[in-house]
């Protein structure tokens, strides 16, 4: 009888999960064991908008230097309270137009593959988001004490390049992957006449 109870409980849990909202723009969503609320945030002089978890904060300077030891660290690093899950955005002084996004994406992936042959690569491609091509690829890498899951994405912004990443411990990958892609799909660029 106990086994049947466990099966019923598992069925109820699965049913509850399928009822939960999955759209980050429509209210809180469950990621793993907790709920996150997302809000649209503006970056780079209010010209780039992206939905981010409300409780992700700017990573403290000391932590930034440890996690991104090179000088050219991302200008924007939003992270959870542990610093393990983060979303970054970098405005890079490299010319880019929409037609060259695929070429840049393929080049970046090849560069990372050459530099780190042990990385495991998954999907890659171009997503059309608000009439903007966004190139992406995802991979698993090893850090000091665990594996990491990363999505790298890039697109044209005012003639230059935005390079973004989503990164979390690989053990959290199943919980975060779809959510991270939803974040990327909320990218919107405010045109001059739309600004207040």
């Amino acid at each position: 009888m106990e086994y049947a109870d466990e099966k019923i409980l598992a069925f109820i849990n699965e049913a509850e999960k399928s009822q939960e909202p999955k759209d980050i723009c429509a209210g809180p969503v469950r990621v793993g064991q907790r709920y996150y609320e997302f809000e649209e945030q503006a970056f780079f002089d209010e010209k780039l908008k992206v939905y981010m978890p409300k409780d992700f904060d700017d990573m403290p300077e000391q932590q930034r230097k440890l996690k991104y030891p090179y000088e050219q660290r991302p200008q924007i690093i939003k992270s959870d309270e542990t610093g393990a899950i983060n979303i970054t955005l970098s405005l890079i002084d490299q010319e880019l137009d929409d037609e060259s996004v695929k070429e840049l994406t393929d080049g970046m992936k090849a560069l990372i593959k050459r530099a780190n042959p042990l990385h495991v690569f998954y999907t890659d491609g171009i997503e059309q988001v608000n009439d903007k091509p966004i190139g992406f690829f995802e991979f698993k890498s090893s850090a000091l004490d665990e594996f990491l899951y990363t999505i790298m994405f890039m697109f044209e912004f005012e003639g230059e390049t935005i390079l973004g990443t989503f990164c979390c411990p690989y053990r959290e990958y199943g919980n975060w992957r779809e959510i991270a892609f939803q974040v990327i799909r909320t990218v919107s660029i405010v045109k001059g006449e739309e600004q207040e």
Side-chain angles (χ1 to χ4, degrees):
M1 192 65 178
E2 202 173 296
Y3 179 69
D5 286 349
E6 285 175 16
K7 280 181 110 171
I8 291 167
L9 192 59
F11 178 77
I12 290 169
N13 282 339
E14 280 306 306
E16 282 177 357
K17 267 191 200 171
S18 68
Q19 302 290 313
E20 288 174 354
K22 300 266 193 276
D23 180 355
I24 64 170
C25 301
V29 291
R30 184 173 169 171
V31 184
Q33 296 304 308
R34 62 182 275 198
Y35 285 86
Y36 287 87
E37 204 171 325
F38 288 73
E39 66 182 358
E40 189 176 60
Q41 296 183 24
F43 305 99
F44 304 115
D45 298 325
E46 311 280 310
K47 293 177 185 170
L48 175 65
K49 294 189 175 180
V50 185
Y51 273 77
M52 298 266 186
K54 256 187 181 175
D55 55 356
F56 273 33
D57 287 321
D58 292 323
M59 185 179 276
E61 195 59 38
Q62 205 49 38
Q63 207 174 352
R64 284 170 173 254
K65 288 179 179 172
L66 285 172
K67 190 147 186 153
Y68 301 93
Y70 42 90
E71 276 308 304
Q72 294 289 67
R73 63 184 64 90
Q75 293 107 323
I76 292 152
I77 306 172
K78 295 283 188 181
S79 76
D80 71 340
E81 64 280 357
T82 68
I85 302 167
N86 45 69
I87 301 168
T88 72
L89 294 167
S90 301
L91 178 56
I92 298 168
D93 185 17
Q94 176 182 332
E95 283 186 22
L96 184 66
D97 56 37
D98 286 347
E99 292 71 38
S100 306
V101 169
K102 179 166 179 21
E103 185 183 334
L104 175 65
T105 306
D106 294 344
M108 284 290 289
K109 182 178 175 183
L111 188 73
I112 289 173
K113 255 186 180 174
R114 269 197 310 277
N116 304 284
L118 296 177
H119 286 1
V120 178
F121 285 81
Y122 303 112
T123 62
D124 62 54
I126 304 288
E127 287 244 355
Q128 287 294 328
V129 177
N130 296 316
D131 298 324
K132 193 115 203 99
I134 298 182
F136 72 89
F137 55 90
E138 51 182 338
F139 59 93
K140 175 183 175 182
S141 60
S142 58
L144 291 173
D145 53 354
E146 66 181 335
F147 288 104
L148 298 176
Y149 168 73
T150 303
I151 302 172
M152 207 168 249
F153 58 98
M154 56 221 68
F155 56 92
E156 179 276 333
F157 175 73
E158 298 191 328
E160 295 184 324
T161 304
I162 293 276
L163 178 62
T165 64
F166 167 82
C167 186
C168 71
Y170 189 76
R171 62 188 145 73
E172 294 282 340
Y173 143 86
N175 296 324
W176 277 99
R177 183 180 185 270
E178 174 53 34
I179 300 298
F181 274 106
Q182 281 192 53
V183 167
I184 294 167
R185 291 179 193 126
T186 65
V187 166
S188 68
I189 294 170
V190 180
K191 303 283 187 265
E193 63 273 8
E194 293 171 26
Q195 279 192 298
E196 295 176 78

